[in-house]
Amino acid sequence: MRFTATLLAAAATCLPCAVAAESPELPATPRSAIEFGPSTQRAFDRSGDLVSLEERPDGSLNVRQNGSFQNVSVARVGPGGKIETYCTTDSGRARDWMARLDGRPANVEAVAPAGGDPK
Amino acid sequence: MRCVIATGLITALLGLVMPEFAPLHAATIVIQNNDGVGEGFNETDAPPNGNQVGNNPGANLGEMRVNVFNAAAQRWGQLLNSAITITIAAEFNDLFCDQFSAVLGQAAATGTAANFGAGSANVAYHIALAESLAGFNINGGDAEVTATFNSAVDSGNANCLGGGGFYYGLDGNAPDGTTPLFVVVLHELAHGLGFSQLADVGPGGTGEFTGTGGFPDAFSRNLHDLETAKSWDTMSNGERLASAVNDPDLVWEGTQVTAQRTQFLDPAPEVDINAPPGIVGTHPANFGEEPTIVLPMGGVTADVVDGDALVGDPCADTSGAMAGRIVLYDLPAGCSAAFPAFLAEFSGAVGVIIANTSATGLPDMSGQITNQDVTIPYVGVMQQVGTDLRANIGSANATIGESDTVLNGENQGMLRMFAPSPFVMGSSVSHWASEARPDLLMESARGELGYNQVDLTLPAMNDIGWSVNVDLGEIFFMHGFEDP
């Protein structure tokens, strides 16, 4: 049985009268439009290029990350306007998640069954 | 402008003292305000929306931000011991924000130290922890943690996350449309205090400990790969790269988290195949994200039918043949797992099994339906389980139930890290697995958390070397409420 917004009552032998349909996907920022500013780009950097090392006479090693190696919390508008948050150290992962390209589409609504209780 | 705007000094308490560390007292954590006049922590405007205030006593945005950061700092100051003041260099700046998404904030330790006369040799400690172990200030006048948060979120402009802004209440009552700042700051400060690994294990990474000058960091020493039977500090760079996406085999092996996890985690779901004899067995599973799932005592047992064979589109179709059955689907490509579960329940199914379409790991069961409830249990299983069931449709019978031995989010008795596969576009190993239930503070995605909840973060801090100010065996967690 196919559920669409225009489906009429099901055959009496199978189900109560009801219809259900998926709503469109949640809107999201296109991945190409997500531009991290300089400090956030720096935060995601894990190459070690921004790191400075200080070897001290006592044999200790002091390392400064100079704004790199940070954990970045990002947010997106979720179902019902609820704000979802996510923390990552990878800029690509952040973009994918913000653009809702993180693997799972967010189908958010089913039209309420016309017959009330689905069972 | 730089100034110390508050202290997190708590009356010194006697805490746990690790034999190899100096006697300590509750940490003093101060917020260093790096904002200029009239901006960030010095903003004199009110929040754009009245529902952003909650119980925060601040007179304006700046004061409210100060209060939130102070509260988070004090929370960690209560729980961690250090004789050395920990300074958090904090500011608000305009970061990326548009109508649908934003950067909220970023934080980290400002550096690390190794071979400073305390702790283990040739191990890099996040600087606040290193100073706690050493008993002296290592990095001079520098802050130990850096934190930058997004002032654009509070612009009141609908073109930034819908205009809802940060929620500044010092409670767990953030209205929909707002972002609770306290829990995000609490989470980020934990990273800065040591809950983060410092290897380059993202896409294109080298696997090296590039953030430490080459030494393994104290956090990574607790990461263990069950497949290779190695910890991150003993791996080659290549092994570390592979391990970073090796869910479910990347786990935390630290003794305190392992011991305390039973205080926090609920039993994991599992699928028992009861028939036919050739495929009888018990298999790990993960729950769907719908919060309304009801799993009866003893689970649900039924014959299994192949949902993908019964319907043309699991995201839109259902069938009367599902009544009284457990319905098997492959993880659908066009919708979240909640949709076939909803439709199956609609047709009278008693449970749903979603098989991963990738060869390794459990499927992504995220996604909810906002205006409908799914009450039947729907769980994800590994691809092979689905293959076995599908090959025996007609005689397959299964039970969806709770494990007596396995907790949510663990593997072989140890808490899993967030090392997702097949999402190989970068993992975030500095977080717990998303399957942990109830939700934990240091999961990558913010879940249902109690205000002030630190849960297994504290035993993890102990595992990496922090002296903690509470008896870990007496922490009592009951779905969001913690004492102390």
Side-chain angles (χ1 to χ4, degrees), chain A residues 1-4 14-23 25 27-31 33-37 39-41 43 46-48 51 53 56 58-77 79-90 92-93 96-99 101-113 116-119, chain B residues 95-96 98-116 127 138-139 142 146 161-162 176-179 184 187-188 191 196-203 210-213 215 313 315-318 320 331-337 339 342-343 345-347 364 366 368-372 375-376 418 420 423 425-428 430-431 444-446 448:
Chain A
M1 174 175 295
R2 181 78 185 182
F3 280 74
T4 69
C14 63
L15 293 169
C17 302
V19 295
E22 296 174 10
S23 68
E25 293 294 331
T29 309
R31 194 182 193 278
I34 299 170
E35 295 182 3
F36 297 130
S39 75
T40 305
Q41 292 178 35
R46 299 179 79 84
S47 67
V51 168
L53 308 181
R56 295 184 173 177
D58 62 1
S60 64
L61 177 66
N62 198 26
V63 176
R64 286 179 168 80
Q65 273 106 35
N66 297 315
S68 60
F69 285 90
Q70 296 196 52
N71 295 267
V72 181
S73 276
V74 294
R76 67 189 184 191
V77 180
K82 185 175 179 180
I83 305 299
E84 303 170 331
T85 66
Y86 177 76
C87 183
T88 183
T89 55
D90 180 73
R93 190 84 175 93
D96 287 345
W97 185 88
M98 293 163 77
L101 298 175
D102 54 331
R104 308 309 310 149
N107 304 93
V108 297
E109 285 189 351
V111 173
D117 183 349
K119 292 184 190 160
Chain B
L95 304 176
F96 174 83
D98 77 0
Q99 185 179 357
F100 305 116
S101 63
V103 172
L104 296 178
Q106 56 208 38
T110 56
T112 64
N115 297 327
F116 45 86
I127 192 64
I138 293 175
N139 68 351
D142 290 352
T146 177
L161 275 184
D176 283 348
T178 68
T179 305
V184 180
H187 176 108
E188 290 297 331
H191 285 311
S196 67
Q197 63 84 17
L198 297 173
D200 180 20
V201 290
T210 45
T212 65
F215 291 125
D313 181 355
C315 302
D317 297 343
T318 190
L331 183 65
C335 62
S336 62
F339 257 82
F342 165 71
L343 292 166
E345 178 173 358
F346 188 85
S347 295
D364 180 1
S366 61
Q368 298 181 30
I369 304 174
T370 56
N371 65 337
Q372 300 288 351
T375 63
I376 62 171
F418 187 60
F423 300 125
M425 283 298 293
S427 64
S428 184
S430 302
H431 296 92
S444 189
R446 176 173 56 91
E448 297 297 321

Side-chain angles (χ1 to χ4, degrees), chain B residues 5 19-21 30 53 57-58 119 128 135 153 172 211 215 222 249 266 281 327 337 349-350 411 417 440 463 467:
Chain B
I5 57 176
E20 60 187 301
F21 304 145
V30 301
V53 177
V153 172
F215 291 125
N222 289 278
D249 285 331
D266 286 342
V327 185
V350 299
N411 189 355
M417 307 306 296
L440 301 175
D463 281 333
S467 169

